[in-house]
Amino acid sequence: MKFNFYSLDINEDYDPAKQLKKFETMSEAHVRRRRLVRALPDFGEPGRALAERLTGCGFFRCRSAGCPVCLRAFRRWWGSTLAAYMSRDPDYWFTVSIVPPDLFDVGHLHRFRWKLLKDRLRNQIARSQVNRAIFLGGMDYNLVHFADDRAPRWRPHLYFLVGGGGQGLIEGAFRRHYPRDEDTPRPVVVTPQRTEDKDLMTTATYTFKARFENRRPCRDRRGNVDTETDELALPHQAELAILLDRQGFLGRAIRHGEDRYLPALTVR
């Protein structure tokens, strides 16, 4: 489904393009799109079809979730809408990161069933003590590199905001569903959200990232286990763009709860 977010208003007070220095510029988005158009044809018919769609994105926007220019426009609306909503009562929000065990080989990301992941999350929320809270966020993607000789693999994961419930209740709702393992020592992380307007905008846009990364194990200056990141290689960006195009903006989004003051919860 191509969601026409271009027709929706951006809250100027919380517009990340105007309020956040690190938010991607229009020029950066256009450069990224041109690079994708060159790389996509190497991925067969799906890649050629998406390249053609992105090439034609101009006066009539393609509204593809794989288009960096349209993704930037969506993030402006999404980030400003969520940040303005959180600002009404900023003291009771938490960020939640969930890393499921699912991994996919490079070249096989098309096997990811995001609808199944969302259905599982929806059922976990419904059966928990936080089933009446507001959930807003999206899916993220990393290419994980391992310390041993294993090839890097795609790891889809979830990052969302929860309004209400309390940190302990939120952790209890998900930790039993996502056990830790050697590769994922912290599959569920719940953190209180900072309340400054800049922090609200930063987190709101982070729930729907535009730049995706390699994640490599490393150690910090004290010798503790850590990770380092850098931007995906262009072929990996192209493979991911094909998935994002299929997924669509609403397919990638996480929305749960009811509040008449937030139309984003009910957009179809």
Side-chain angles (χ1 to χ4, degrees):
M1 176 180 180
K2 292 187 177 69
F3 170 44
N4 190 12
F5 46 88
Y6 278 104
S7 67
L8 300 177
D9 294 330
I10 294 173
N11 188 311
E12 296 294 332
D13 293 334
Y14 294 92
D15 182 354
K18 297 179 179 180
Q19 307 295 341
L20 297 180
K21 293 181 179 179
K22 293 185 178 181
F23 192 79
E24 64 268 23
T25 66
M26 180 64 81
S27 176
E28 289 171 335
H30 277 279
V31 169
R32 292 172 66 83
R33 187 171 66 185
R34 287 195 294 270
R35 295 178 67 210
L36 275 178
V37 167
R38 292 196 298 268
L40 281 165
D42 292 338
F43 288 80
E45 181 55 33
R48 289 191 293 271
L50 181 55
E52 183 178 355
R53 186 174 304 151
L54 300 192
T55 300
C57 183
F59 182 77
F60 294 103
R61 296 300 186 186
C62 69
R63 302 199 302 274
S64 167
C67 173
V69 175
C70 290
L71 177 54
R72 179 182 183 273
F74 178 87
R75 278 165 41 84
R76 287 185 66 192
W77 169 75
W78 177 266
S80 67
T81 300
L82 267 61
Y85 178 69
M86 286 191 290
S87 71
R88 298 170 68 248
D89 193 7
D91 293 319
Y92 298 98
W93 286 89
F94 301 86
T95 62
V96 182
S97 170
I98 292 179
V99 183
D102 310 283
L103 293 165
F104 300 88
D105 292 335
V106 172
H108 295 275
L109 185 58
H110 61 278
R111 295 179 178 176
F112 172 47
R113 300 294 179 257
W114 67 85
K115 292 181 181 178
L116 179 60
L117 178 58
K118 290 178 70 171
D119 285 343
R120 289 202 305 254
L121 179 68
R122 189 179 299 112
N123 289 333
Q124 291 158 8
I125 293 172
R127 296 167 183 168
S128 74
Q129 292 180 293
V130 292
N131 57 15
R132 300 185 67 85
I134 300 293
F135 290 74
L136 291 162
M139 294 186 190
D140 193 4
Y141 300 88
N142 285 329
L143 188 60
V144 180
H145 299 252
F146 302 96
D148 53 26
D149 293 332
R150 285 176 292 169
R153 303 184 76 188
W154 289 106
R155 169 161 270 178
H157 52 284
L158 306 167
Y159 188 85
F160 52 87
L161 290 150
V162 181
Q167 186 170 356
L169 289 177
I170 298 169
E171 290 174 346
F174 298 113
R175 280 203 167 150
R176 64 190 180 93
H177 299 293
Y178 302 95
R180 66 181 65 185
D181 59 33
E182 184 177 351
D183 293 325
T184 316
R186 300 183 69 196
V188 178
V189 178
V190 181
T191 308
Q193 167 65 39
R194 295 179 179 178
T195 58
E196 297 295 325
D197 285 350
K198 182 178 179 180
D199 296 317
L200 299 179
M201 286 182 283
T202 298
T203 305
T205 54
Y206 191 82
T207 64
F208 226 96
K209 286 171 60 178
R211 292 179 178 269
F212 305 92
E213 300 167 330
N214 297 291
R215 294 187 69 87
R216 296 182 174 85
C218 67
R219 293 189 178 274
D220 62 20
R221 294 179 180 178
R222 297 182 179 181
N224 298 316
V225 175
D226 200 356
T227 57
E228 59 184 5
T229 63
D230 58 14
E231 190 169 7
L232 292 175
L234 187 55
H236 298 149
Q237 292 180 37
E239 181 183 3
L240 178 55
I242 294 170
L243 174 73
L244 295 177
D245 176 66
R246 289 175 47 223
Q247 190 174 24
F249 292 106
L250 298 186
R252 186 179 166 193
I254 296 167
R255 298 175 297 153
H256 174 87
E258 296 182 5
D259 190 337
R260 62 188 180 90
Y261 294 105
L262 184 61
L265 282 168
T266 55
V267 167
R268 292 293 183 267

